[in-house]
Amino acid sequence: MGETKLHILELYSGIGGMHYAAELANVGAEVVYSVDINTSANEVYRHNFRQTNQQSRNIESLSANEINKLKPNIVMMSPPCQPFTRVGLKLDVEDSRCSSFLHLLDVIPHLETVSFVLMENVVGFETSEMRNAFTKALKSCGFYIREFLLSPVSLQIPNSRNRYYLIAKKFTNFAFGTETDIMTAFPRNSCDINMPVEQRTLEPYLEKSFADEELARFLLPAKTLMKYGRILDIRQRTDVSSCCFTKAYTHYAEGTGSVLQHDSSESFREKFAEFEKDVNVAHLESLQLRYFTHREIANLMGFPAHFSFPEKTSLRTRYRLLGNSLNVHVVSSLLKILLE
């Protein structure tokens, strides 16, 4: 790519997943400007990227003129997913949280230096009016597009997080797929995506040791075990999968993410059978069922070891911010494909 680095405009930047993906991809691109309106997310972002020009502002206040002065080559973004999510009202373009995205559609035709776009959202976006408007705006400006529904499982990462992705570029078409297909796997022979030989277990992503008081912070309360013990998604260190962690993880028990059997010396099946027999929660407590820590979730989502939260960020906020973030490895792989 030569000495000149490509400039990235990072929109809806959250806690910096796109930024880390760009670093991991190592494609000679740097984030020159980052925007999000979420105060908590911005604090985490600035804590980790002190040198980046990160602005807390509404994207609707960004004009084409202001963006053109930054001379970005790439726009990376992860717009609000609530208008399209399975647990939302699915108001689509009528949702007020789409207003900034709709503003971007008006801005895109006037961007002078942008040749590449990468966007992430929830499954469901692909059937939305917003998707139709977005792809129409890109195509009218000469972009070729490819769309995907991908999970980290595609990269042998033991965590399910199925998401919609769009990549777009000007001037040359992609050497794979068509604009009418939504791909559910990475294209074959695409750049140098590092695919492990076999599916990884959860073990390498877990924290190595816990002090007793630290473990106590993450153990599921007895009342949660009693009420939800039968529906919890319980995983062991040797498992090769886990459920998607949402922003409600630890706040709601059902459908928000897996829990871990910390004491692997006990037989889960035996203890659960005993619990079913006499409904004594002590049987389940002996398994030391705990929530995955925020660090472990960050590991599964591809955030590097040096990523951290400010000390003042509460545990619940850490889980919420991670639940709203993205998988760094998936985005990094797509960025390589986009720029190859």
Side-chain angles (χ1 to χ4, degrees):
M1 299 255 176
E3 293 294 317
T4 305
K5 284 199 170 188
L6 294 170
H7 288 178
I8 298 172
L9 171 63
E10 186 184 21
L11 303 176
Y12 313 97
S13 52
I15 57 175
M18 291 279 188
H19 195 142
Y20 280 123
E23 288 186 352
L24 181 64
N26 193 26
V27 288
E30 65 177 348
V31 175
V32 293
Y33 199 78
S34 169
V35 184
D36 202 297
I37 202 168
N38 185 298
T39 305
S40 299
N42 289 340
E43 287 173 355
V44 178
Y45 190 106
R46 292 168 189 162
H47 176 74
N48 288 282
F49 299 107
R50 300 179 191 277
Q51 305 304 315
T52 302
N53 186 357
Q54 204 281 337
Q55 296 293 316
S56 181
R57 57 186 287 191
N58 191 322
I59 285 169
E60 289 178 73
S61 68
L62 270 179
S63 67
N65 187 44
E66 185 176 0
I67 293 174
N68 285 331
K69 287 177 181 176
L70 298 167
K71 297 183 178 177
N73 310 105
I74 307 167
V75 174
M76 299 180 74
M77 57 178 167
S78 182
C81 64
Q82 294 93 336
F84 319 105
T85 184
R86 64 184 175 87
V87 293
L89 296 175
K90 293 191 176 180
L91 295 175
D92 207 332
V93 292
E94 302 300 322
D95 194 302
S96 61
R97 287 167 291 197
C98 275
S99 56
S100 60
F101 199 177
L102 289 167
H103 168 72
L104 287 176
L105 302 195
D106 293 332
V107 168
I108 286 171
H110 307 288
L111 300 183
E112 298 165 353
T113 57
V114 174
S115 300
F116 305 96
V117 175
L118 192 158
M119 192 272 267
E120 181 261 9
N121 214 284
V122 292
V123 173
F125 183 86
E126 74 280 5
T127 58
S128 69
E129 289 180 43
M130 191 73 236
R131 175 262 175 197
N132 294 340
F134 185 42
T135 54
K136 182 180 178 182
L138 289 171
K139 289 175 184 177
S140 70
C141 298
F143 282 92
Y144 297 95
I145 69 165
R146 291 294 182 271
E147 296 170 280
F148 302 83
L149 294 178
L150 296 171
S151 173
V153 176
S154 302
L155 299 176
Q156 277 64 56
I157 296 167
N159 180 239
S160 172
R161 195 176 187 84
N162 207 28
R163 291 292 184 268
Y164 168 90
Y165 299 92
L166 177 145
I167 56 176
K169 64 178 177 178
K170 281 185 175 179
F171 309 121
T172 55
N173 202 348
F174 294 93
F176 61 86
T178 71
E179 296 201 336
T180 57
D181 293 332
I182 295 183
M183 302 178 67
T184 55
F186 287 99
R188 292 182 178 181
N189 307 320
S190 57
C191 52
D192 57 341
I193 295 174
N194 295 318
M195 298 284 280
V197 176
E198 58 186 41
Q199 187 78 25
R200 297 183 183 128
T201 68
L202 288 168
E203 184 71 50
Y205 299 90
L206 303 178
E207 298 197 53
K208 302 307 176 203
S209 60
F210 278 88
D212 288 344
E213 64 272 16
E214 186 69 7
L215 176 59
R217 289 179 72 200
F218 298 100
L219 290 174
L220 274 70
K223 64 179 182 180
T224 301
L225 293 174
M226 181 62 79
K227 189 174 181 180
Y228 299 104
R230 293 176 181 83
I231 60 170
L232 290 171
D233 183 72
I234 299 169
R235 303 295 169 130
Q236 297 176 318
R237 298 168 183 276
T238 53
D239 284 346
V240 294
S241 62
S242 58
C243 289
C244 179
F245 297 101
T246 75
K247 66 179 182 180
Y249 188 60
T250 74
H251 189 54
Y252 294 111
E254 188 174 0
T256 60
S258 302
V259 299
L260 186 74
Q261 179 182 337
H262 189 74
D263 184 352
S264 52
S265 67
E266 298 277 7
S267 166
F268 168 72
R269 290 193 176 187
E270 286 180 13
K271 292 297 178 182
F272 195 81
E274 291 170 0
F275 170 68
E276 288 279 71
K277 189 176 179 180
D278 60 15
V279 199
N280 184 347
V281 78
H283 299 306
L284 296 184
E285 286 182 313
S286 67
L287 298 170
Q288 293 189 313
L289 298 177
R290 68 167 178 85
Y291 294 110
F292 283 75
T293 70
H294 49 89
R295 180 64 258 180
E296 290 166 341
I297 295 173
N299 293 343
L300 284 164
M301 293 177 70
F303 284 80
H306 58 263
F307 166 79
S308 64
F309 288 94
E311 281 189 29
K312 70 174 186 175
T313 308
S314 71
L315 192 58
R316 184 170 171 186
T317 298
R318 295 178 191 205
Y319 282 123
R320 180 170 55 79
L321 292 172
L322 283 166
N324 280 333
S325 193
L326 47 82
N327 190 283
V328 172
H329 288 290
V330 175
V331 175
S332 174
S333 298
L334 286 172
L335 185 60
K336 287 181 182 180
I337 292 168
L338 177 59
L339 298 178
E340 72 178 341

mmCIF file of all heavy atoms in Angstrom, residues 16-44:
data_model
loop_
_atom_site.group_PDB
_atom_site.id
_atom_site.type_symbol
_atom_site.label_atom_id
_atom_site.label_comp_id
_atom_site.label_asym_id
_atom_site.label_seq_id
_atom_site.Cartn_x
_atom_site.Cartn_y
_atom_site.Cartn_z
ATOM 1 N N GLY A 16 -14.915 0.749 20.063
ATOM 2 C CA GLY A 16 -13.729 0.672 19.219
ATOM 3 C C GLY A 16 -13.509 -0.640 18.497
ATOM 4 O O GLY A 16 -12.396 -0.915 18.035
ATOM 5 N N GLY A 17 -14.550 -1.453 18.351
ATOM 6 C CA GLY A 17 -14.399 -2.727 17.660
ATOM 7 C C GLY A 17 -13.899 -2.585 16.236
ATOM 8 O O GLY A 17 -13.019 -3.327 15.788
ATOM 9 N N MET A 18 -14.438 -1.619 15.496
ATOM 10 C CA MET A 18 -13.998 -1.380 14.121
ATOM 11 C C MET A 18 -12.530 -0.937 14.093
ATOM 12 O O MET A 18 -11.751 -1.349 13.228
ATOM 13 C CB MET A 18 -14.876 -0.305 13.466
ATOM 14 C CG MET A 18 -16.307 -0.722 13.199
ATOM 15 S SD MET A 18 -16.472 -1.704 11.695
ATOM 16 C CE MET A 18 -18.255 -1.819 11.541
ATOM 17 N N HIS A 19 -12.151 -0.096 15.052
ATOM 18 C CA HIS A 19 -10.775 0.401 15.129
ATOM 19 C C HIS A 19 -9.809 -0.761 15.349
ATOM 20 O O HIS A 19 -8.776 -0.876 14.677
ATOM 21 C CB HIS A 19 -10.668 1.426 16.262
ATOM 22 C CG HIS A 19 -9.428 2.258 16.209
ATOM 23 N ND1 HIS A 19 -9.411 3.601 16.531
ATOM 24 C CD2 HIS A 19 -8.146 1.959 15.876
ATOM 25 C CE1 HIS A 19 -8.178 4.070 16.392
ATOM 26 N NE2 HIS A 19 -7.393 3.083 16.011
ATOM 27 N N TYR A 20 -10.150 -1.628 16.294
ATOM 28 C CA TYR A 20 -9.299 -2.794 16.549
ATOM 29 C C TYR A 20 -9.247 -3.715 15.338
ATOM 30 O O TYR A 20 -8.211 -4.316 15.040
ATOM 31 C CB TYR A 20 -9.797 -3.566 17.772
ATOM 32 C CG TYR A 20 -9.385 -2.949 19.084
ATOM 33 C CD1 TYR A 20 -10.336 -2.576 20.029
ATOM 34 C CD2 TYR A 20 -8.037 -2.751 19.392
ATOM 35 C CE1 TYR A 20 -9.954 -2.010 21.246
ATOM 36 C CE2 TYR A 20 -7.649 -2.183 20.606
ATOM 37 C CZ TYR A 20 -8.613 -1.820 21.521
ATOM 38 O OH TYR A 20 -8.231 -1.262 22.722
ATOM 39 N N ALA A 21 -10.362 -3.825 14.615
ATOM 40 C CA ALA A 21 -10.404 -4.657 13.411
ATOM 41 C C ALA A 21 -9.451 -4.118 12.346
ATOM 42 O O ALA A 21 -8.758 -4.885 11.669
ATOM 43 C CB ALA A 21 -11.830 -4.726 12.861
ATOM 44 N N ALA A 22 -9.412 -2.794 12.209
ATOM 45 C CA ALA A 22 -8.508 -2.172 11.238
ATOM 46 C C ALA A 22 -7.051 -2.415 11.623
ATOM 47 O O ALA A 22 -6.197 -2.683 10.769
ATOM 48 C CB ALA A 22 -8.801 -0.676 11.142
ATOM 49 N N GLU A 23 -6.765 -2.339 12.921
ATOM 50 C CA GLU A 23 -5.397 -2.611 13.382
ATOM 51 C C GLU A 23 -5.024 -4.066 13.119
ATOM 52 O O GLU A 23 -3.924 -4.363 12.654
ATOM 53 C CB GLU A 23 -5.270 -2.293 14.876
ATOM 54 C CG GLU A 23 -5.298 -0.811 15.188
ATOM 55 C CD GLU A 23 -5.032 -0.524 16.662
ATOM 56 O OE1 GLU A 23 -4.982 -1.485 17.468
ATOM 57 O OE2 GLU A 23 -4.871 0.662 17.013
ATOM 58 N N LEU A 24 -5.940 -4.977 13.419
ATOM 59 C CA LEU A 24 -5.677 -6.403 13.240
ATOM 60 C C LEU A 24 -5.497 -6.758 11.769
ATOM 61 O O LEU A 24 -4.650 -7.597 11.416
ATOM 62 C CB LEU A 24 -6.830 -7.216 13.846
ATOM 63 C CG LEU A 24 -6.724 -8.737 13.777
ATOM 64 C CD1 LEU A 24 -5.525 -9.234 14.588
ATOM 65 C CD2 LEU A 24 -8.010 -9.397 14.291
ATOM 66 N N ALA A 25 -6.271 -6.123 10.906
ATOM 67 C CA ALA A 25 -6.182 -6.408 9.471
ATOM 68 C C ALA A 25 -4.821 -6.016 8.896
ATOM 69 O O ALA A 25 -4.342 -6.626 7.941
ATOM 70 C CB ALA A 25 -7.304 -5.676 8.724
ATOM 71 N N ASN A 26 -4.218 -4.991 9.490
ATOM 72 C CA ASN A 26 -2.872 -4.561 9.078
ATOM 73 C C ASN A 26 -2.812 -4.284 7.568
ATOM 74 O O ASN A 26 -1.968 -4.814 6.850
ATOM 75 C CB ASN A 26 -1.840 -5.634 9.472
ATOM 76 C CG ASN A 26 -0.412 -5.123 9.369
ATOM 77 O OD1 ASN A 26 -0.163 -3.924 9.474
ATOM 78 N ND2 ASN A 26 0.525 -6.030 9.134
ATOM 79 N N VAL A 27 -3.741 -3.452 7.108
ATOM 80 C CA VAL A 27 -3.849 -3.161 5.676
ATOM 81 C C VAL A 27 -3.403 -1.731 5.341
ATOM 82 O O VAL A 27 -3.729 -1.215 4.278
ATOM 83 C CB VAL A 27 -5.305 -3.383 5.180
ATOM 84 C CG1 VAL A 27 -5.633 -4.863 5.121
ATOM 85 C CG2 VAL A 27 -6.302 -2.652 6.078
ATOM 86 N N GLY A 28 -2.660 -1.126 6.259
ATOM 87 C CA GLY A 28 -2.168 0.225 5.988
ATOM 88 C C GLY A 28 -3.262 1.270 6.062
ATOM 89 O O GLY A 28 -3.315 2.183 5.240
ATOM 90 N N ALA A 29 -4.152 1.122 7.041
ATOM 91 C CA ALA A 29 -5.243 2.083 7.202
ATOM 92 C C ALA A 29 -5.306 2.548 8.656
ATOM 93 O O ALA A 29 -5.052 1.769 9.579
ATOM 94 C CB ALA A 29 -6.578 1.449 6.804
ATOM 95 N N GLU A 30 -5.635 3.818 8.853
ATOM 96 C CA GLU A 30 -5.729 4.339 10.220
ATOM 97 C C GLU A 30 -6.995 5.166 10.386
ATOM 98 O O GLU A 30 -7.461 5.826 9.451
ATOM 99 C CB GLU A 30 -4.495 5.184 10.572
ATOM 100 C CG GLU A 30 -4.346 6.447 9.749
ATOM 101 C CD GLU A 30 -3.158 7.289 10.188
ATOM 102 O OE1 GLU A 30 -2.593 7.010 11.260
ATOM 103 O OE2 GLU A 30 -2.790 8.228 9.441
ATOM 104 N N VAL A 31 -7.558 5.109 11.589
ATOM 105 C CA VAL A 31 -8.761 5.884 11.894
ATOM 106 C C VAL A 31 -8.359 7.335 12.122
ATOM 107 O O VAL A 31 -7.548 7.642 13.001
ATOM 108 C CB VAL A 31 -9.466 5.323 13.155
ATOM 109 C CG1 VAL A 31 -10.660 6.205 13.539
ATOM 110 C CG2 VAL A 31 -9.927 3.889 12.916
ATOM 111 N N VAL A 32 -8.915 8.248 11.326
ATOM 112 C CA VAL A 32 -8.583 9.670 11.462
ATOM 113 C C VAL A 32 -9.671 10.446 12.203
ATOM 114 O O VAL A 32 -9.437 11.551 12.695
ATOM 115 C CB VAL A 32 -8.334 10.325 10.082
ATOM 116 C CG1 VAL A 32 -7.078 9.749 9.434
ATOM 117 C CG2 VAL A 32 -9.546 10.182 9.156
ATOM 118 N N TYR A 33 -10.859 9.839 12.304
ATOM 119 C CA TYR A 33 -11.967 10.539 12.962
ATOM 120 C C TYR A 33 -12.987 9.496 13.378
ATOM 121 O O TYR A 33 -13.315 8.586 12.618
ATOM 122 C CB TYR A 33 -12.609 11.543 11.996
ATOM 123 C CG TYR A 33 -13.436 12.628 12.645
ATOM 124 C CD1 TYR A 33 -12.822 13.721 13.258
ATOM 125 C CD2 TYR A 33 -14.833 12.582 12.620
ATOM 126 C CE1 TYR A 33 -13.586 14.736 13.834
ATOM 127 C CE2 TYR A 33 -15.595 13.596 13.191
ATOM 128 C CZ TYR A 33 -14.961 14.669 13.800
ATOM 129 O OH TYR A 33 -15.717 15.677 14.371
ATOM 130 N N SER A 34 -13.479 9.636 14.601
ATOM 131 C CA SER A 34 -14.393 8.650 15.158
ATOM 132 C C SER A 34 -15.554 9.374 15.830
ATOM 133 O O SER A 34 -15.350 10.357 16.538
ATOM 134 C CB SER A 34 -13.625 7.793 16.177
ATOM 135 O OG SER A 34 -14.497 6.994 16.918
ATOM 136 N N VAL A 35 -16.784 8.869 15.611
ATOM 137 C CA VAL A 35 -17.969 9.559 16.123
ATOM 138 C C VAL A 35 -18.953 8.572 16.769
ATOM 139 O O VAL A 35 -19.251 7.525 16.210
ATOM 140 C CB VAL A 35 -18.721 10.311 14.994
ATOM 141 C CG1 VAL A 35 -19.899 11.097 15.567
ATOM 142 C CG2 VAL A 35 -17.784 11.240 14.243
ATOM 143 N N ASP A 36 -19.433 8.932 17.946
ATOM 144 C CA ASP A 36 -20.528 8.211 18.589
ATOM 145 C C ASP A 36 -21.208 9.167 19.559
ATOM 146 O O ASP A 36 -20.590 10.117 20.037
ATOM 147 C CB ASP A 36 -20.029 6.970 19.330
ATOM 148 C CG ASP A 36 -21.141 5.934 19.536
ATOM 149 O OD1 ASP A 36 -22.128 6.246 20.234
ATOM 150 O OD2 ASP A 36 -21.027 4.818 18.995
ATOM 151 N N ILE A 37 -22.481 8.884 19.849
ATOM 152 C CA ILE A 37 -23.234 9.771 20.739
ATOM 153 C C ILE A 37 -23.335 9.195 22.157
ATOM 154 O O ILE A 37 -23.778 9.878 23.079
ATOM 155 C CB ILE A 37 -24.639 10.038 20.145
ATOM 156 C CG1 ILE A 37 -25.228 11.331 20.709
ATOM 157 C CG2 ILE A 37 -25.557 8.834 20.331
ATOM 158 C CD1 ILE A 37 -26.466 11.825 19.982
ATOM 159 N N ASN A 38 -22.903 7.928 22.324
ATOM 160 C CA ASN A 38 -23.022 7.250 23.612
ATOM 161 C C ASN A 38 -21.866 7.633 24.539
ATOM 162 O O ASN A 38 -20.708 7.305 24.272
ATOM 163 C CB ASN A 38 -23.059 5.729 23.403
ATOM 164 C CG ASN A 38 -23.311 4.963 24.676
ATOM 165 O OD1 ASN A 38 -22.523 5.033 25.612
ATOM 166 N ND2 ASN A 38 -24.392 4.208 24.721
ATOM 167 N N THR A 39 -22.182 8.294 25.633
ATOM 168 C CA THR A 39 -21.156 8.807 26.542
ATOM 169 C C THR A 39 -20.306 7.698 27.138
ATOM 170 O O THR A 39 -19.070 7.801 27.174
ATOM 171 C CB THR A 39 -21.811 9.615 27.690
ATOM 172 O OG1 THR A 39 -22.628 10.632 27.109
ATOM 173 C CG2 THR A 39 -20.766 10.251 28.575
ATOM 174 N N SER A 40 -20.944 6.625 27.613
ATOM 175 C CA SER A 40 -20.201 5.517 28.226
ATOM 176 C C SER A 40 -19.262 4.854 27.225
ATOM 177 O O SER A 40 -18.107 4.549 27.546
ATOM 178 C CB SER A 40 -21.169 4.466 28.791
ATOM 179 O OG SER A 40 -21.997 5.013 29.778
ATOM 180 N N ALA A 41 -19.761 4.627 26.015
ATOM 181 C CA ALA A 41 -18.928 4.017 24.975
ATOM 182 C C ALA A 41 -17.753 4.923 24.628
ATOM 183 O O ALA A 41 -16.616 4.459 24.460
ATOM 184 C CB ALA A 41 -19.768 3.739 23.729
ATOM 185 N N ASN A 42 -18.004 6.218 24.537
ATOM 186 C CA ASN A 42 -16.937 7.161 24.202
ATOM 187 C C ASN A 42 -15.841 7.188 25.259
ATOM 188 O O ASN A 42 -14.658 7.321 24.947
ATOM 189 C CB ASN A 42 -17.514 8.566 24.009
ATOM 190 C CG ASN A 42 -18.334 8.674 22.727
ATOM 191 O OD1 ASN A 42 -18.180 7.860 21.809
ATOM 192 N ND2 ASN A 42 -19.203 9.669 22.656
ATOM 193 N N GLU A 43 -16.226 7.065 26.516
ATOM 194 C CA GLU A 43 -15.230 7.033 27.589
ATOM 195 C C GLU A 43 -14.308 5.828 27.452
ATOM 196 O O GLU A 43 -13.095 5.931 27.638
ATOM 197 C CB GLU A 43 -15.931 7.010 28.956
ATOM 198 C CG GLU A 43 -16.563 8.345 29.335
ATOM 199 C CD GLU A 43 -17.402 8.255 30.606
ATOM 200 O OE1 GLU A 43 -17.566 7.124 31.142
ATOM 201 O OE2 GLU A 43 -17.880 9.317 31.075
ATOM 202 N N VAL A 44 -14.889 4.691 27.109
ATOM 203 C CA VAL A 44 -14.087 3.478 26.907
ATOM 204 C C VAL A 44 -13.193 3.639 25.678
ATOM 205 O O VAL A 44 -12.014 3.276 25.693
ATOM 206 C CB VAL A 44 -14.992 2.235 26.761
ATOM 207 C CG1 VAL A 44 -14.156 0.984 26.505
ATOM 208 C CG2 VAL A 44 -15.847 2.049 28.011
#
